[in-house]
Amino acid sequence: MSHSHDMDMDMGMGMDMGSGASSGASGHNMMGVFQNSMTTSLFSEAWTPRTTGTYAATCIFLVVFSAILRGLLALRNWQEYRWIDAEMKRRYVVVAGRGTLADRVSNDSLAKTMVLSSSGVEENVMVVQKHGAEGRPFRLSVDPIRAVLDTVIAGVGYLLMLAVMTMNVGYFISVLGGVFIGSLLCGRYATYDGH
């Protein structure tokens, strides 16, 4: 196919390729490049800054909202630590007729007896391997809270994504600034290494 034939097909489709933006049915422009308009709507037409002060307030809101997202991520990981610690401290009841943990360990074919030495003191220990991945059981006191936290985190994240998708430079920098401040304040709590 020749180059000129491709151009004829593109021009024959009735599309204006030179404007750089396409208009939707509701009159919104979808920008392909960043812009710095201070009248960019955020989340709805009702939230359209009309003055420099309202634009600055919108940017400050985005900084705080982004920092809140980082705080929510830290809160979720802190909760996971608490839930795992509580699970590890939970007392288990041995059911009649079933062997105890010590019986199962001593009968484990993969268990190995070894000598552990620390500060000159030697002790016989038994090393066992974990059999496959074990999922934690459903807990009514944990899982609904985890689900609510995950839903709120996803909602805040998607709203911030929509703010960035406006392609407004001020909104974009505000979101990044909020992520920086939130990570600075609570990033050390947002890491999770598992147990």
Side-chain angles (χ1 to χ4, degrees), residues 23-44:
S23 295
S26 63
H28 295 289
N29 286 335
M30 180 61 128
M31 303 297 288
V33 296
F34 279 105
Q35 43 90 14
N36 60 358
S37 171
M38 289 196 321
T39 59
T40 303
S41 297
L42 182 67
F43 307 139
S44 74

Side-chain angles (χ1 to χ4, degrees), residues 117-182:
S117 172
S118 175
S119 302
V121 178
E122 292 184 357
E123 188 172 340
N124 289 330
V125 296
M126 186 164 289
V127 178
V128 295
Q129 288 182 334
K130 185 176 177 181
H131 297 287
E134 294 179 17
R136 294 195 294 268
F138 177 84
R139 301 231 182 266
L140 196 57
S141 62
V142 171
D143 291 310
I145 297 169
R146 180 184 292 127
V148 167
L149 268 173
D150 285 345
T151 303
V152 170
I153 288 168
V156 171
Y158 285 134
L159 286 172
L160 288 170
M161 177 190 67
L162 289 173
V164 169
M165 287 176 59
T166 63
M167 300 300 287
N168 184 293
V169 174
Y171 294 173
F172 179 70
I173 291 172
S174 297
V175 168
L176 290 179
V179 168
F180 176 80
I181 291 170

